[in-house]
Amino acid sequence: MQTKIFTIKTAADTEQLNAAAKIIQNGGIAAIPTETVYGLAANALDGNAVSKIFKAKGRPQDNPLIVHISELSGWYPLVKDIPEAALKLAEAFWPGPLTVILPKSDIIPAEVSAGLSTVAVRMPSHPIARALIRAAGLPLAAPSANVSGSPSPTSAKHVLNDLNGKIDAVIDGGVCTVGVESTVISLADKTPCLLRPGGITPEQLKAVLGKIDIDPAVFSSLATGEKPSSPGMKYKHYAPKARVVILKGSLEAFINFVKENASESAAVLCFDGEDRMMPVRAVSYGREDVPAEQAQKLFGALRAVDEIPGTDKVYARCPIASGLGLAVYNRLLRAASFEVIEL
Ligand code: TXA
Ligand code: MG
């Protein structure tokens, strides 16, 4: 299949938006920009269209998708009930990088919820994503637009590297500003539970909801046979082909460790300005004290180290795991399959 590329700079480009919306209305799949990462979108109410997403990504069938809406009114038909807490979250953080899980209504096809009784919903803030949802007049199911397991795409180029020829279209709307996926919170049980840290921090959620639980899978791998609260937690994620190892400690200790242990085929993932001090090839992912910059650059940097020929091991500097840094740490931890060395 030939993947059609739309370059859309503003939500006022209705001609191209309508053409892209048609593809989705006709049961096709298209990659779309959002403020977090690019999503691979299909009509969320059409199980057949949604199944094409799983095929193109090579996504395990039991991993449910997030449904994207452009107006609050679009949420009501998708879920059984919208509790007060959910409305408070929507008021505080939508449109934006927050996904809310609630018991689903009957119009959600099994392909979207992967057989669960709940559905994840998000209202993105990206003007082109919103305009496209409106033009299609449909809720859009969209996981990140990468091949399953590889780093999420934050540009149309990343999407094409992974999925060119496997999807109907890509809308190039520029580079994603947040850079890590949305925060996922479940309101399906008594206490709200954070399943995936992201663009909205735990502190921001607590300010609205009071007490929240944080799923243990945010910080550690699941024990063998343990049932995850979010199916995505059990899969290897965000990983380049090279093996990633996080080294926790000072810059000085990091450099010494790499000097003593790295072979010629190793590379490092470091903070801006540290590249020149590294004894092996280096890619930087933002300033050490600016988590928003790290979030925006991390996935691109993980892809970039894979493009250094012959790299088989990547030593990564460890970000500060609080605020937005928690999302950065969580993604890096998964890219490293939880391999952390304390220096
Ligand atoms: O920022 C984002 O959230 C991006 C953009 C495109 O919106 N989307 C995204 O989708 O990251 P995806 O499919 O790559 O990640 C969705 C995560 C998965 O880990 C999945 O298991 C979880 O959300 N999830 C979806 N529906 C769920 C449900 N009903 N219950 C528990 N977890 C759910
Ligand atoms: Mg994903």
Side-chain angles (χ1 to χ4, degrees):
M1 140 191 335
Q2 170 131 25
T3 300
K4 191 167 166 43
I5 301 170
F6 296 90
T7 302
I8 304 186
K9 295 229 153 55
T10 80
D13 188 352
T14 47
E15 196 176 313
Q16 291 214 84
L17 278 164
N18 288 339
K22 235 274 120 77
I23 292 175
I24 286 173
Q25 287 165 336
N26 290 338
I29 55 175
I32 64 167
T34 84
E35 72 278 22
T36 56
V37 300
Y38 273 72
L40 181 56
N43 175 0
L45 306 180
D46 177 351
N48 190 37
V50 170
S51 66
K52 294 179 191 169
I53 294 177
F54 284 84
K55 196 159 166 243
K57 280 182 59 98
R59 184 180 177 98
Q61 299 286 342
D62 65 349
N63 196 2
L65 307 183
I66 296 172
V67 178
H68 298 70
I69 55 174
S70 61
E71 319 291 336
L72 209 55
S73 58
W75 200 6
Y76 290 84
L78 307 177
V79 292
K80 284 226 160 75
D81 176 47
I82 302 182
E84 188 63 32
L87 287 173
K88 275 196 202 160
L89 285 178
E91 194 185 353
F93 305 118
W94 279 0
L98 179 71
T99 295
V100 180
I101 295 175
L102 286 170
K104 75 177 191 76
S105 75
D106 294 338
I107 68 166
I108 299 294
E111 286 83 356
V112 170
S113 55
L116 299 179
S117 60
T118 53
V119 66
V121 178
R122 167 164 120 80
M123 188 193 291
S125 65
H126 197 294
I128 292 167
R130 291 166 63 75
L132 183 76
I133 299 167
R134 257 187 233 123
L138 293 165
L140 302 185
S144 49
N146 52 295
V147 163
S148 243
S150 77
S152 294
T154 52
S155 71
K157 185 170 163 274
H158 295 162
V159 175
L160 287 167
N161 283 348
D162 279 18
L163 298 172
N164 196 10
K166 294 184 183 163
I167 60 179
D168 297 292
V170 178
I171 297 178
D172 185 348
V175 170
C176 303
T177 51
V178 177
V180 291
E181 304 87 343
S182 62
T183 301
V184 177
I185 188 157
S186 174
L187 298 184
D189 297 312
K190 266 205 198 89
T191 310
C193 185
L194 177 73
L195 300 183
R196 179 176 75 180
I200 302 293
T201 66
E203 294 73 23
Q204 287 176 291
L205 293 171
K206 280 179 204 154
V208 173
L209 294 174
K211 188 179 155 37
I212 62 166
D213 288 338
I214 297 188
D215 197 283
V218 168
F219 295 107
S220 56
S221 57
L222 293 161
T224 319
E226 194 181 341
K227 193 174 175 295
S229 324
S230 188
M233 287 169 176
K234 67 173 182 271
Y235 297 109
K236 191 173 161 76
H237 255 121
Y238 318 116
K241 288 173 209 88
R243 182 168 143 208
V244 180
V245 182
I246 299 172
L247 304 182
K248 215 172 193 167
S250 68
L251 172 61
E252 195 188 349
F254 184 96
I255 293 172
N256 286 337
F257 184 95
V258 174
K259 272 189 186 146
E260 278 161 30
N261 296 281
S263 71
E264 268 177 23
S265 52
V268 308
L269 209 56
C270 61
F271 298 119
D272 288 358
E274 298 174 356
D275 331 26
R276 317 169 263 112
M277 302 174 215
M278 295 298 165
V280 295
R281 299 159 301 179
V283 174
S284 69
Y285 72 106
R287 282 172 287 175
E288 182 172 12
D289 55 351
V290 190
E293 221 171 82
Q294 294 161 18
Q296 209 261 325
K297 289 185 168 173
L298 178 67
F299 287 140
L302 284 168
R303 283 176 182 263
V305 285
D306 252 354
E307 281 165 15
I308 303 175
T311 307
D312 60 5
K313 200 157 192 187
V314 178
Y315 294 106
R317 288 270 281 139
C318 187
I320 297 160
S322 62
L324 186 55
L326 180 62
V328 178
Y329 180 63
N330 169 272
R331 301 310 187 275
L332 195 56
L333 205 51
R334 281 161 185 278
S337 298
F338 298 91
E339 197 175 345
V340 182
I341 298 176
E342 305 263 355
L343 298 174

